[in-house]
Amino acid sequence: MGQTIGERMNEWMERRFVGRRFECDVFGQLLSAIHSRTERIINISGTAGMGKTTLLDRYESLALAQGAHSLRIDIAETGSGSDRIWRAVFEGLGRSAEQEAPASLEACISAIHRKSENGMLVLFVDSYEKIGSSDHWFRTAFLPRLPMNMLIVVAGRYSLEGPWRHSPAWKPLIIRLPLTELSYEDIHGYLQESGETDDEAIDAVWFRTLGHPLSLSLLNSSDGGDKAMQPLFSFEDRLEVWLREAPEEELRQLLFAASITRSFHQEWLSALLEKEVASTWFEKLSKLSFVSRASEGWQLHERVWEAMRRTFRERMPDTFERYCGKAVGRCLAKIEEGIRQGRDISREFAEALRFAGNPIMRAHYRHARESRHYMEPVDAGNREEAAAYAARRRDEARPWTVRCADLESGALFRYDLTAEESLLRLNALPIDELLEESPGALKLIRNAAGIVVGLTALIPIHEGTIDYLMRAPLSRAYFQSLSPVRRQELRVAPEQSSGVFVYSIDVDNLEDEELRGDIIPILFEPLLAGSLLVQSPPPLPYFAQACESLGFEETPGARHTGYGDEKVALTYALDTRKSRLPSYLRRMISDSGSLATAETMSDQSTISQLPERLTAREQEVAALLTQGFTNPEIAARLYVSEAAVKKHVNAMLSKFNLKNRTQLAKLILDGGSPDPFPS
């Protein structure tokens, strides 16, 4: 007998399976060492389209290749009742429950034990998120009775929680494998296996799918090897896969609103929608598989967030812009408040930059997220580590290709650096000289394991460093271009520091999104402190466009050849001292189409149209309330107690016969004419 269709399909799927090496290694190791390992359950979790079922297919092939027996059920097909589940298991063993006398759970358990006597048995359970109340039965009445030489793989949108995680009996038995998107290297290998060799076409597919496995699997490649391979999955198609969890229109409207900012909470959504968001609906929203708790509230999964934003903008452009205007207005108001109070505004600044008008800025910042890396000053104690890092970087230098894309415009950006160019910033960094001239300027970047993955040099500008900066290769052109009066203004006491010269920021792999994302917060600190920032990076498109997109401007007469005689580098400066920071932020987002709306929203003329029955303090509270501030935030801004804010809000609700603060905000924004019949 020749090869069957099924065998040919399996061969094709084997060739097309990419990535998940770690997950496959975990399964293979546990399968081969089952008798010496404690773990018996592998829990695969991930949002829709993340490839959970495909990974189960791969696991099943690996199990069969090692001579194990495979048993597979899908809760979405069998149903969630305990009776249906054990019957599906029974039938999967090749036994019909109806042929047993009597058909029972006991007969199913006995059959499993008999099967396991002939070798390893692996039970695969898919779509576990649909098991519902039968989870208790599965955990307490079914799994405990299975033989020890058996492995169970449970896949679902959610990880196993509750007693699964907290019980000391279950905890050591479970290996958790949350699935994320595939890497660029995985996508590259997948497309090359499909016959696609053009790097630009591969980049386009990468940025359309962003490693989402289901999107990747739906590629359209015409006969003849068309290099313009395009995903059949549009953003809206991809979104519908996720939104099957949220069929109600009310819930979908909340999801659209939640996509405006990276993080959200119930009060903010109420302010954005101009209606009270019921706790029951917010609870449903927070329990979706692609919504997770974050430090500032809740967040949509990054790919869902991007797809929601894009779909929202395309379907309802006016509403999208109005919501963005509110978000920008709120960010700017919080930033101005933070500046006045002298507190950290990095979170608000990061949120504001998501609305930046420059597509390159948005593309670079798109993948920025909280980093696991940390900074450490270089001194005599770790100087050798800094030198060892530099030596390793030079020994392992290779070409870099930096890829990023802007979701709003769809623009793709690709920067190719040779091995020599990848070392320019590092080779210009005099470690020993800086340790002597500006102690504290040098810092190591360490990863979570403590390994050095970067080296930075930010030299404070003051009377103790000006002379060095006047002669250092990368900075002397800037300081020599200044007038004597201007240089003298910068000769302040060291404890004051008039600015920072960003001499170098080097990381060991610029292709790594997390490391690349680390560079932005390094610049954030002096920028948000209200400082003069000056830098002169290598004369390459990547660095030049990054500087310009951040708002740096070239300093006339400050070009130099500090990186080599044939490399003419420019010098850039950005001044955020005194009142310049708020205006800088407004300039950054002025091209996004949201600033005018934000300014209109925070316009005090709207508040002045309120009936004279509001006191001056109530008008101040009302102005902040319309911008989505919570009571504690309003209290901090006005330097009053939270109880006082609540008193003013309740007084305004009473005056206009309103039920909640959302109705009050709508009244204010509508010009102060109360609805005689509030809902």
Side-chain angles (χ1 to χ4, degrees):
M1 181 184 296
Q3 188 180 43
T4 65
I5 293 176
E7 290 169 341
R8 176 60 61 87
M9 290 173 64
N10 288 336
E11 285 182 5
W12 185 83
M13 291 300 292
E14 284 281 332
R15 292 200 309 270
R16 301 279 284 183
F17 183 87
V18 295
R20 310 301 187 207
R21 178 177 298 175
F22 173 77
E23 290 82 359
C24 289
D25 286 346
V26 168
F27 179 75
Q29 291 169 13
L30 188 55
L31 198 64
S32 60
I34 188 71
H35 297 294
S36 60
R37 297 282 294 267
T38 301
E39 303 92 336
R40 287 297 180 272
I41 301 172
I42 294 179
N43 177 210
I44 299 169
S45 60
T47 62
M50 202 55 69
K52 299 181 292 295
T53 300
T54 302
L55 183 57
L56 290 189
D57 292 339
R58 181 64 170 171
Y59 276 10
E60 195 166 14
S61 296
L62 293 174
L64 294 174
Q66 291 198 33
H69 303 297
S70 172
L71 177 58
R72 187 164 175 175
I73 63 171
D74 188 333
I75 304 298
E77 296 177 0
T78 66
S80 61
S82 58
D83 185 69
R84 293 182 176 183
I85 293 172
W86 70 255
R87 285 177 179 272
V89 172
F90 210 0
E91 292 169 7
L93 289 165
R95 307 286 295 273
S96 172
E98 283 70 26
Q99 295 174 358
E100 296 292 322
S104 65
L105 173 61
E106 296 298 328
C108 177
I109 296 295
S110 297
I112 291 173
H113 277 266
R114 288 195 296 272
K115 189 76 171 180
S116 69
E117 291 173 358
N118 298 320
M120 167 79 71
L121 177 60
V122 184
L123 171 62
F124 297 97
V125 183
D126 204 356
S127 306
Y128 194 79
E129 73 275 2
K130 298 183 181 296
I131 199 166
S133 59
S134 295
D135 171 77
H136 181 268
W137 168 84
F138 189 76
R139 177 170 34 82
T140 62
F142 185 70
L143 288 188
R145 302 181 66 185
L146 301 184
M148 275 299 293
N149 65 331
M150 184 172 178
L151 187 59
I152 300 96
V153 182
V154 177
R157 293 193 177 187
Y158 310 96
S159 62
L160 297 174
E161 298 296 338
W164 293 102
R165 183 179 290 276
H166 303 299
S167 169
W170 283 111
K171 195 172 181 179
L173 295 178
I174 301 174
I175 297 176
R176 298 177 183 277
L177 295 177
L179 298 188
T180 57
E181 289 79 11
L182 300 171
S183 69
Y184 176 84
E185 289 71 24
D186 293 333
I187 302 297
H188 194 278
Y190 179 91
L191 295 179
Q192 283 197 325
E193 180 64 33
S194 303
E196 181 57 73
T197 58
D198 183 79
D199 282 344
E200 290 187 7
I202 292 174
D203 286 353
V205 172
W206 162 246
F207 288 119
R208 284 290 302 277
T209 65
L210 290 170
H212 186 250
L214 182 57
S215 303
L216 180 65
S217 69
L218 298 173
L219 290 171
N220 178 23
S221 180
S222 62
D223 294 336
D226 185 1
K227 293 185 177 182
M229 296 177 70
Q230 294 294 329
L232 292 173
F233 231 28
S234 69
F235 271 91
E236 288 208 17
D237 291 335
R238 187 188 312 175
L239 190 58
E240 283 304 315
V241 173
W242 285 304
L243 291 185
R244 289 170 190 165
E245 288 185 46
E248 305 97 330
E249 182 61 26
E250 182 82 13
L251 196 50
R252 294 194 174 197
Q253 290 301 318
L254 285 182
L255 281 167
F256 279 125
S259 72
I260 292 299
T261 53
R262 190 65 190 97
S263 298
F264 62 89
H265 49 67
Q266 189 172 350
E267 287 186 346
W268 168 234
L269 293 183
S270 296
L272 204 57
L273 293 167
E274 298 177 8
K275 67 177 183 179
E276 196 72 29
V277 173
S279 296
T280 51
W281 283 112
F282 190 83
E283 185 74 11
K284 287 185 178 182
L285 174 66
S286 66
K287 288 186 175 180
L288 296 173
S289 70
F290 47 82
V291 175
S292 60
R293 197 73 169 86
S295 57
E296 291 296 295
W298 284 260
Q299 287 185 350
L300 301 180
H301 181 279
E302 189 172 0
R303 301 300 174 251
V304 180
W305 179 67
E306 292 188 339
M308 288 293 308
R309 280 181 62 84
R310 181 162 180 151
T311 303
F312 190 5
R313 187 178 65 250
E314 291 174 353
R315 288 185 187 178
M316 298 171 280
D318 292 341
T319 304
F320 179 81
E321 284 302 321
R322 182 163 57 89
Y323 284 9
C324 284
K326 288 186 178 183
V328 171
R330 187 170 186 265
C331 282
L332 291 177
K334 282 191 168 186
I335 286 169
E336 291 170 0
E337 173 193 350
I339 292 172
R340 285 198 303 272
Q341 297 179 353
R343 62 173 172 79
D344 180 25
I345 56 170
S346 56
R347 289 186 183 277
E348 291 85 356
F349 181 71
E351 188 63 54
L353 285 185
R354 295 190 184 277
F355 298 92
N358 188 294
I360 296 178
M361 176 65 219
R362 293 195 301 262
H364 279 301
Y365 192 65
R366 179 183 183 183
H367 302 289
R369 54 182 58 87
E370 291 186 2
S371 175
R372 297 167 296 175
H373 302 149
Y374 61 95
M375 308 282 286
E376 177 185 299
V378 178
D379 55 25
N382 57 14
R383 183 261 170 217
E384 292 304 319
E385 286 189 272
Y389 164 80
R392 173 168 57 84
R393 278 274 287 113
R394 294 184 182 104
D395 290 342
E396 299 175 0
R398 62 176 180 81
W400 284 339
T401 298
V402 178
R403 304 171 180 85
C404 53
D406 172 38
L407 177 69
E408 307 292 325
S409 64
L412 306 179
F413 303 98
R414 175 180 173 134
Y415 304 93
D416 294 306
L417 285 74
T418 66
E420 178 191 8
E421 290 170 340
S422 75
L423 292 173
L424 286 176
R425 299 203 84 168
L426 180 70
N427 287 338
L429 187 58
I431 295 176
D432 291 331
E433 194 174 289
L434 278 177
L435 280 175
E436 180 179 348
E437 297 287 347
S438 183
L442 277 172
K443 287 185 173 65
L444 301 175
I445 303 176
R446 294 188 187 272
N447 64 17
I451 298 171
V452 178
V453 293
L455 184 60
T456 72
L458 274 66
I459 305 174
I461 302 171
H462 52 70
E463 62 182 6
T465 59
I466 286 272
D467 291 340
Y468 172 73
L469 291 168
M470 283 279 290
R471 65 177 187 271
L474 303 189
S475 55
R476 62 190 175 203
Y478 173 77
F479 288 93
Q480 291 174 4
S481 73
L482 302 178
S483 67
V485 173
R486 182 76 182 95
R487 284 199 298 270
Q488 189 60 37
E489 290 174 353
L490 298 178
R491 287 183 180 274
V492 298
E495 60 271 16
Q496 293 176 328
S497 181
S498 55
V500 173
F501 194 95
V502 183
Y503 207 88
S504 180
I505 301 177
D506 182 81
V507 294
D508 70 1
N509 184 7
L510 206 56
E511 294 177 346
D512 185 296
E513 289 181 356
E514 185 174 5
L515 274 174
R516 205 162 66 241
D518 286 336
I519 296 173
I520 297 174
I522 290 171
L523 296 174
F524 272 10
E525 186 174 346
L527 190 155
L528 297 179
S531 183
L532 171 66
L533 273 76
V534 186
Q535 63 173 318
S536 184
L540 300 170
Y542 171 77
F543 297 108
Q545 292 181 21
C547 276
E548 292 165 2
S549 69
L550 265 173
F552 282 82
E553 296 180 353
E554 183 189 351
T555 301
R559 299 188 176 192
H560 63 85
T561 56
Y563 291 103
D565 292 341
E566 298 180 359
K567 299 177 176 64
V568 179
L570 310 183
T571 303
Y572 301 88
L574 172 61
D575 196 348
T576 61
R577 291 174 294 178
K578 298 180 180 179
S579 62
R580 296 182 183 92
L581 181 55
S583 61
Y584 162 73
L585 281 171
R586 290 181 179 275
R587 185 171 75 253
M588 287 292 290
I589 64 175
S590 61
D591 296 329
S592 69
S594 300
L595 184 58
T597 311
E599 290 175 334
T600 300
M601 181 185 170
S602 60
D603 190 346
Q604 294 298 316
S605 63
T606 302
I607 307 303
S608 67
Q609 296 173 14
L610 286 171
E612 295 180 357
R613 293 165 61 188
L614 288 191
T615 66
R617 179 61 86 182
E618 286 171 351
Q619 290 194 29
E620 290 177 338
V621 172
L624 296 173
L625 187 146
T626 62
Q627 296 175 40
F629 286 103
T630 63
N631 284 357
E633 291 167 343
I634 294 173
R637 185 175 174 86
L638 297 180
Y639 301 98
V640 298
S641 69
E642 187 177 342
V645 173
K646 187 174 182 180
K647 181 189 74 173
H648 292 309
V649 171
N650 289 337
M652 289 186 283
L653 293 176
S654 177
K655 286 178 181 181
F656 300 114
N657 193 27
L658 300 175
K659 292 182 178 180
N660 53 56
R661 57 193 288 130
T662 306
Q663 292 177 346
L664 177 60
K666 187 175 188 303
L667 166 70
I668 297 166
L669 293 171
D670 287 344
S673 300
D675 184 352
F677 303 105
S679 58

